[in-house]
Amino acid sequence: MTASAAQGNLTIGVARRDIAPPRPELLKPTGMERLEPTRGVLDPLACEAMAIDLAGERAFLITSDLRTIDHAWVVEARETVGRRLGCDPRRVLFSSVHNHCSSPVGADDSPEAAEALAEANRKIVDAFIAACAEADATRRPAEIAFAQARLAEPVGENRRLRLSNGTCVNSWHGGGGICPPGLKVAGSPGPHSTEVRVLCVREPGAPRPFAALVSYPSHPHLWSIPCFSGEFPGAARREIEGRLPGLAVLHANATGGDIDIHCMHPGPPGGTDAEIRWFQESNRLVARRFADAVAPAIEACADYRRPASLRHAYWSSGEDDPANNRVTIVNVVVLGDVAVASIPGELFLALGRQAEARSPLPHLVMMGYNGSYGGYQPLPLAFEQGSYEVMRGYARSETDLLEARPGRRVRRALKDSGLQVIDRLVAMLADLAAGRAG
Amino acid sequence: MPDIAPLALLVAGLEAPDRYDQADAARLLGELGRGEAVGALRRYVTESRYYSKMAGFHALARIGDAAVCPTLRGLVDKPNVVDDWFWLDCRAVRAAAALALLALGDESRAGYLAELADAGDDVFFCFFGPTVLRLPDNLPAARDLKARITVGAMADPAARGVRHTDPARVALKAEVFGLLATPEACEALRDLVAFHSRYVRGQAAVSLLSADPSEEHVRLVEAMGDGDPADFARVRASYALAAAGRGDRIALIVEAAEALDDPFDRAVAVECLGLLEDETHAGVVERQASHADPYVRQCAVEALDRLGAASAAAVARKRLGDDSLRVRLQAAKLLAALDGKEGR
C-alpha cells in the first residue's frame, strides 16, 4: 500500500470502564497508610483504552486510575486482547497514574477481605480487556495532532528541598520542608512539573477532537483519606471533559517520581470529615488550574495530520521470572512524528526532560507506571543528596531487595537505572525514526 | 529600588506567598537580632501552618526576648501544623519550639525533647543534634539533653537504618561528631570522609578539622581537597583546611567561586569565602552578586555581609531590586544590620 493510501486508513476508538472496587469497605487504598476503615468510593475510578489501527498495524493504549499495575495483569490483559482482537500482545501499552487513593489491598487478614480483593482485581483486569474491545469496536476514521500546554499556576511541584549543605529533605504533605537551624534553603534540586503533553484525536476535518491522551508528571496523592477516589487525575479529566463536551480524556502520568500534588498548600486541620472536604476542594482547585491550561491547548490544536505509518518497538527485561527479577518494560508506538512511550514509573522529572530533549522524534508523549517495577529512578546525584526517595541508598545488585518494613521486601533502583531506562527509550526512538525498527 | 525600609522588607517577607521565602525572612530576622521583629515573628510561628516555620522559632531564640515563652509553650503542645505521624516534620516543629524555649531559659517543655531522645528519634539526634549541642550549659535540662548525644547514641544500631544511609541525616550526624570532638567522634568522621555522598564527605572534612586538626587529619582532608572527584567536596575540604590555618588552600575556593559551572557548587564556594572572613577576596564575591543564578547571588550578598566588605552596602542596595525575593531579603538584612550599627 502506498503512503498516501495508508494515510486514509487511520482509525481510532476510545472507551472507558469503571474500576472502583465493588466492596470498598473490606479494602483500603495503598500508597499512604490509612488509620481508619474505608468509608467507600468518593468519586469515580476508571480505566481507558485507545484502539489504533493504521492499514492493519494495530496498537492499544491503556490508562488507569491505579497506583501501580501488577505485571501479572499486564500479561493476562495483553494476551487476551491480542488473542481476541487480533493484535500482537506486545502492542498493548499500559500505564497507571500512580493514584494513592486506589489499587486496593485487604483491610485486614480476613477471608472476606481476601475475597473482596480478588474480586476488585478481577474487575480491573476485565475492565482493561473490555475497554480495549469497546475501543476497537468503535474505531472511526481519525487524524492526530500534538499539543503542549504550560501550567500558569502550581499543580505538581518538586517535592524535594535542597539545603545549603547540599543535601535534600522532603517538601511534601501540604506544608512540608524543614530546614535545620544553621542551614538555609537553597531551592529545588530539580524542575517543577509545569508542562503537559497531549495527543489529540479527531475525525478528519471535525471541529473538535473526540479523544485526548494527556500526559502529566506527578504523584497524585493529595491526602490519605479513607476513601477510594480518582484523585487529581480523575478530577482533571472530569473538568476538561466538562469544558469540551464530546471529548474523552485519557490521563497518563509520565516521569513524576519527584513531583507531588500535595505540596501545594497546607494540609487539612484534622478530623476525617474535614480532611475529605479539604481533599475535594483541593482536587477541584488543581483540576481547575490544570484545565485552564490544557483545555485551551486542546481547543487551539490545529495541526492535525493523518500519519503514513504506525511503527512499534518493545523492550523488556526480567519478564521471564517477574517474581524474582526487576521487571523493566519500554514499549513505544510511533504515529508519524508522534511517539507514545509506555515506561516504568518513578523516574524523576529531569530524566523525562532528558528523554524529550534527546528524542529524535519531535513529539514524545510518555505513559509511566506500566507494570515494571524497580523503585524510584532518580538521577545518580540524588543518591548523594538524600531524602525520602533515596534515603535507603541504591541497590547494590540486580537482586538486592530492601526491607521497606518488617516482612515487606521491595525492589529498589540501581544507581543509574533511571538513566538506563532513558538511554533505552532514546535508542528505541532513534531506531524507529531511522526505520530500523517497527 | 523599592521605597521600603530594609527591616520592613524583611518583616513583610514573613507573609510572602512562598513558604520558603517566609522561612528565609524569619532566618534573616533571627540573624539580625532586632527586637522590633518579635511581634511579627510571634504571629508567623503562631499562624503559619507550614512546617518551614520552624525557622521562626530559631529566630525568636536568637533575638532573646523571653516574653514570647508563653506563645512557644503553647506551640510545643499544639503546633498548628498537620500531624504527619508517618514522617517527622510535625515533631520537628514542636522540637524547634521546645529548643527555642530552652535557649530563652525556659525548661518547661524540655520533656518533649527528652521523649524524642528516648525514642531514638532522628529529629533529636540528627536534625536538631547540632542545635542541642550548641545550647548554653546554664540550665540543667539543657545539660541533660546534651549529654544524651554521644557517639554511641548516634551509632545506635537499633536506630532507624536511614540515620546511617540518608545523606541528609548523615551530614548532620557529621556536624554532631564535629561538635562532640571526642576521639570516638573523630574516628567516626574518618569513616565518613569516605562516604558515598560528596555532601557528607564535605561536612566530614569540615567537622574533622574543627574537632582535631592533627597532622593525620590534615593529610586526610588534603587528599580530599586534591583528589576528590566532586567539586563540592574539594571546595569544602579546602575550606576546612583554610579555616584550620592553611591559607594556601583558599586559591582553590576562589577559583571555584569564579569558574564552576554548577550554580550550587559555585554558591558554596562563595559561601565559604564569606565564612573565612578574609576581605582580600571581596572582589571575587562581589562579582558573583550579579551571577545569573539567584542562589549564587544570595550567597554572594550574604558573604559580603560576613566579610564586612566596603562595597557591601552598595551591592546590597542594588540587589534590593533583584528579581528574586530571596536575594532582596538577603540584601535587606545586610542593610538593616548597617542601619542598626549606625543607630538609625
Side-chain angles (χ1 to χ4, degrees), chain B residues 64-65 86 103 126 139 178 200 222 250 304:
Chain B
D65 182 350
F86 43 84
C126 294
L139 295 176
V200 172
E222 271 180 341
I250 297 179
L304 287 171

Side-chain angles (χ1 to χ4, degrees), chain B residues 105-124:
Chain B
D106 182 333
E107 297 180 292
S108 65
R109 295 299 185 274
Y112 181 68
L113 296 165
E115 275 177 36
L116 294 176
D118 288 342
D121 199 312
D122 287 347
V123 167
F124 180 82

Side-chain angles (χ1 to χ4, degrees), chain A residues 287-343:
Chain A
R288 177 191 58 72
R289 290 177 178 180
F290 193 78
D292 281 350
V294 176
I298 293 173
E299 272 198 304
C301 199
D303 190 20
Y304 281 89
R305 297 172 188 197
R306 275 171 272 175
S309 64
L310 183 157
R311 283 170 288 166
H312 171 256
Y314 183 92
W315 179 90
S316 73
S317 70
E319 286 197 277
D320 52 329
D321 186 10
N324 294 307
N325 284 325
R326 178 187 312 280
V327 174
T328 306
I329 300 170
V330 182
N331 200 356
V332 185
V333 166
V334 173
L335 280 167
D337 61 359
V338 180
V340 179
S342 165
I343 57 172

